[in-house]
Amino acid sequence: MSNTLSRRDFLKLTGIGAAVSAVLTGCGPMARYIVRKPYTSMPEYNQTGLSTYYASTCRECPAGCGIIVRTKEGRAITIEGNPQHPVNRGRLCSRGVTAQQGLYNPDRIRGPVFQARGDASRAKPINWDEAISVVQQALASSPEQIAFLLGAAPDHLFDLVSEICETIGAPPPVRYNALTTFEGRSTLLEAARLTFGEEALPYFDLANAEVTFAFGANFLENWLSPVAYTRAYGEFRRGRSTRRGYLVVFEPRQSLTAGNADEWIPIRPGSEAILAAALNRLVAEARGKPVSPAFSTVTVSAAAAASGVSEEKIRQLAQFFAAADHPLAIPGGSALAQADGLMTARSLLYLNAVVDNLGQPGGVFLTPAEASATDFAAVKELVRRMMDSEVKVLFIHGVNPLFELPGALGFGEALAKVPMVISFASFPDETALASDYVLPDHTPLESFGYQRVLAGSDRPAYSSFQPVVVPLYDTRATADVLLAAVKLLGVQAAQAFPYQDEVEYIQQKLLPLINAGGFYTAAEIFTFWSRWLQYGGWWKAEAELTAPQQATPPEETFPFTPPA
Ligand code: SF4
């Protein structure tokens, strides 16, 4: 057979092609202009060559950075920072920039399945009606035998699950995320409560500080709100023409932040508390302040022996900090993961009070957001309940506990004792494979929702999610699945959740914001909703940071046992 194409054949083929194109581009349903399909399955007529932009929120970590997603022919092309967003102001970290990798990951779970635990090859596809029926029957179990384990995002799902648990009488959902544990968020929150008497995360004004001592707070990489702190770090370094900020990082490992510091002090793990106490004592003495009894028994020689830092160096650093105009001490991350982590955090927060920087430029403020953090004790209690066969139904969303929890906690063993495990995972991770049902949620770029901003913003802020493409596969919003299942539970539950779908639920939750001093207002929810989607969330028009009104040092004197 000849491989050549004659001119006559070519004209015949192009004639047929032109006729087909004429049909496809003729009058059709208006819907085709708003269906955002990936180009792989999109008819040719819909390729306009124009970009469409959507404001949404990065969900690669709980920081809640605002993103602008450029789409073309229904496909998410690039992700950039939302320049108006109060957390990241147009910047993103490498995870945020590459977030569409999750959307287009070929390993995604493409529809609801029932499976033999641990054997994905025996997974049996089910339809969503069957899936909702399974969830309804699970929710109809004895309430005290139901448990929800959720990740750090999204907040609207956490709020909905909390309300469902309250309505049916089940224990409140447990929230866990390895990242928030590594960053020491709950320890910092508790330290702030004990030191400042407020349930709020501290806001460290790095941008206006002159000398910063960071203990384990790896803020250029993954601590609290890395993009917000990286932006502030840029200001700290080069934002002022007259002086350049000086950063000293105390931590055993050379993190990205330590690598960028003027000085990295590689201390021994576990010596953070005694070193922080010694600095407190030396800085108070240098500033002519009374030394708190908590630190009065600490000797520099003991701190040097414990930390591996010479006495001379400790004294020199303390003098340097005490003499600075805007010194700032930041506790976080690995420093708070030690046995004395809470004491380390309290000592360093108090050190800020010793140098009078509370509520001052370059000092410590309190964030206006509602405080919340992973409560590891609640995770341990859940594992105990599972181990004691008190949990008959476990729902898991947004977290992979078989991978993220320490093996010593025994989550795998406990999971085997739960008769029904329902996962909402998007990927076949360890926990999804060990579940009975996997009912995949949409990935973040296909989802509606909101996230409360807890750190990194100088004002109350909610970040919004919206789909930037139509869902690629037969996935369904977990909130929609739960709402549909709850309606089947009975009249009382249906009346408690009268929402048609997830979006209606979110809109109802946003009602208090429509005239709450945001940078936009609206007369009713539908106008508010369009702006909410347009701007990528809602935040107050003015900064609302507050200064701590008091500072209490630790009551006890440390044992200060040098690490073995
Ligand atoms: S810091 Fe911001 S951009 Fe980076 S992963 Fe977290 S939310 Fe996304």
Side-chain angles (χ1 to χ4, degrees):
M1 194 172 77
S2 167
N3 284 332
T4 56
L5 191 67
S6 71
R7 183 170 177 275
R8 179 183 295 269
D9 292 337
F10 175 76
L11 288 174
K12 267 197 252 172
L13 282 172
T14 50
I16 293 168
V20 172
S21 296
V23 173
L24 289 176
T25 54
C27 294
M30 284 301 290
R32 72 176 184 242
Y33 296 109
I34 55 169
V35 170
R36 292 170 257 153
K37 285 246 176 190
Y39 73 71
T40 47
S41 61
M42 179 174 277
E44 193 175 345
Y45 62 76
N46 217 355
Q47 296 187 5
T48 63
L50 299 175
S51 295
T52 310
Y53 297 84
Y54 296 92
S56 192
T57 297
C58 174
R59 258 176 49 191
E60 298 300 305
C61 90
C65 293
I67 56 175
I68 301 289
V69 185
R70 175 178 163 240
T71 68
K72 203 169 171 188
E73 276 95 44
R75 192 174 173 89
I77 305 292
T78 50
I79 301 179
E80 293 178 282
N82 179 347
Q84 284 192 293
H85 200 281
V87 172
N88 54 318
R89 303 219 182 263
R91 305 284 187 261
L92 284 182
C93 78
S94 53
R95 279 176 296 169
V97 168
T98 53
Q100 67 270 54
Q101 299 296 326
L103 174 64
Y104 295 118
N105 190 311
D107 290 335
R108 281 183 57 180
I109 299 170
R110 301 182 179 206
V113 291
F114 167 70
Q115 61 185 15
R117 286 194 192 185
D119 185 0
S121 65
R122 288 168 58 200
K124 178 172 151 294
I126 58 174
N127 63 42
W128 279 107
D129 286 342
E130 291 170 307
I132 288 166
S133 172
V134 166
V135 173
Q136 180 239 324
Q137 285 166 28
L139 289 174
S141 312
S142 296
E144 69 279 3
Q145 296 178 336
I146 297 173
F148 278 89
L149 178 57
L150 306 179
D155 277 332
H156 78 285
L157 183 64
F158 178 75
D159 291 346
L160 176 65
V161 171
S162 300
E163 290 172 27
I164 289 174
C165 288
E166 196 179 337
T167 302
I168 64 175
V174 174
R175 227 169 177 188
Y176 176 77
N177 173 275
L179 188 59
T180 55
T181 304
F182 295 151
E183 64 190 14
R185 186 180 293 221
S186 58
T187 308
L188 183 59
L189 197 54
E190 177 64 1
R193 189 183 69 77
L194 294 169
T195 307
F196 302 136
E198 302 256 4
E199 301 270 355
L201 270 176
Y203 177 96
F204 300 98
D205 186 15
L206 177 63
N208 293 304
E210 184 184 316
V211 171
T212 297
F213 281 10
F215 274 68
N218 185 10
F219 55 77
L220 293 183
E221 202 166 347
N222 55 15
W223 184 72
L224 285 191
S225 192
V227 175
Y229 276 105
T230 301
R231 192 167 45 80
Y233 175 73
E235 291 283 316
F236 169 75
R237 285 294 211 199
R238 294 189 294 190
R240 297 160 293 200
S241 56
T242 50
R243 61 186 173 202
R244 174 181 181 277
Y246 195 90
L247 176 64
V248 182
V249 172
F250 301 80
E251 61 182 2
R253 181 181 76 93
Q254 191 181 43
S255 66
L256 190 67
T257 309
N260 280 279
D262 295 282
E263 289 190 63
W264 167 44
I265 311 294
I267 59 176
R268 291 200 187 108
S271 66
E272 292 86 351
I274 190 169
L275 197 52
L279 286 173
N280 251 291
R281 177 176 182 168
L282 292 171
V283 170
E285 287 171 353
R287 287 217 164 197
K289 297 263 187 87
V291 177
S292 160
F295 311 120
S296 58
T297 56
V298 181
T299 63
V300 181
S301 58
S307 65
V309 184
S310 72
E311 279 189 51
E312 184 190 3
K313 186 66 187 173
I314 294 173
R315 290 184 190 283
Q316 182 230 321
L317 287 168
Q319 284 294 334
F320 182 56
F321 192 79
D325 279 344
H326 299 282
L328 174 66
I330 307 180
S334 59
L336 311 194
Q338 308 295 337
D340 274 340
L342 182 60
M343 289 303 179
T344 303
R346 292 182 69 183
S347 303
L348 291 168
L349 290 180
Y350 188 73
L351 181 58
N352 288 293
V354 172
V355 293
D356 301 313
N357 77 7
L358 303 186
Q360 299 299 315
V364 178
F365 295 81
L366 296 172
T367 55
E370 302 165 46
S372 85
T374 299
D375 181 358
F376 199 69
V379 180
K380 282 162 81 173
E381 171 59 12
L382 171 62
V383 174
R384 186 207 59 75
R385 286 175 59 213
M386 292 162 61
M387 198 71 91
D388 292 347
S389 300
E390 292 175 18
V391 176
K392 301 296 183 207
V393 176
L394 176 63
F395 295 95
I396 303 177
H397 182 283
V399 61
N400 178 9
L402 278 179
F403 182 77
E404 295 182 45
L405 282 171
L409 204 59
F411 186 86
E413 197 187 331
L415 193 69
K417 296 192 174 181
V418 180
M420 169 72 87
V421 180
I422 299 175
S423 163
F424 298 101
S426 296
F427 298 95
D429 60 31
E430 289 83 350
T431 312
L433 288 174
S435 303
D436 299 289
Y437 288 88
V438 186
L439 314 180
D441 196 353
H442 301 318
T443 55
L445 294 177
E446 301 164 312
S447 301
F448 286 103
Y450 59 73
Q451 187 77 14
R452 291 183 197 89
V453 172
L454 298 180
S457 171
D458 60 0
R459 62 202 67 203
Y462 282 69
S463 266
S464 68
F465 317 142
Q466 66 173 314
V468 304
V469 294
V470 288
L472 265 56
Y473 303 117
D474 184 23
T475 54
R476 191 167 290 194
T478 299
D480 279 339
V481 173
L482 291 173
L483 282 170
V486 164
K487 283 182 200 300
L488 298 174
L489 281 180
V491 177
Q492 200 181 344
Q495 283 174 345
F497 297 93
Y499 318 108
Q500 182 184 311
D501 58 16
E502 175 185 47
V503 168
E504 208 173 290
Y505 173 76
I506 295 168
Q507 289 176 342
Q508 178 266 337
K509 298 296 285 183
L510 297 179
L511 276 175
L513 299 182
I514 66 175
N515 277 307
F519 75 100
Y520 59 83
T521 56
E524 34 68 41
I525 189 63
F526 298 110
T527 308
F528 183 88
W529 180 252
S530 67
R531 291 184 181 150
W532 162 265
L533 296 181
Q534 178 188 355
Y535 292 113
W538 172 96
W539 42 90
K540 283 275 179 91
E542 306 289 339
E544 276 190 14
L545 292 172
T546 54
Q549 296 303 308
Q550 63 177 66
T552 309
E555 299 78 23
E556 54 274 72
T557 306
F558 300 168
F560 297 129
T561 310

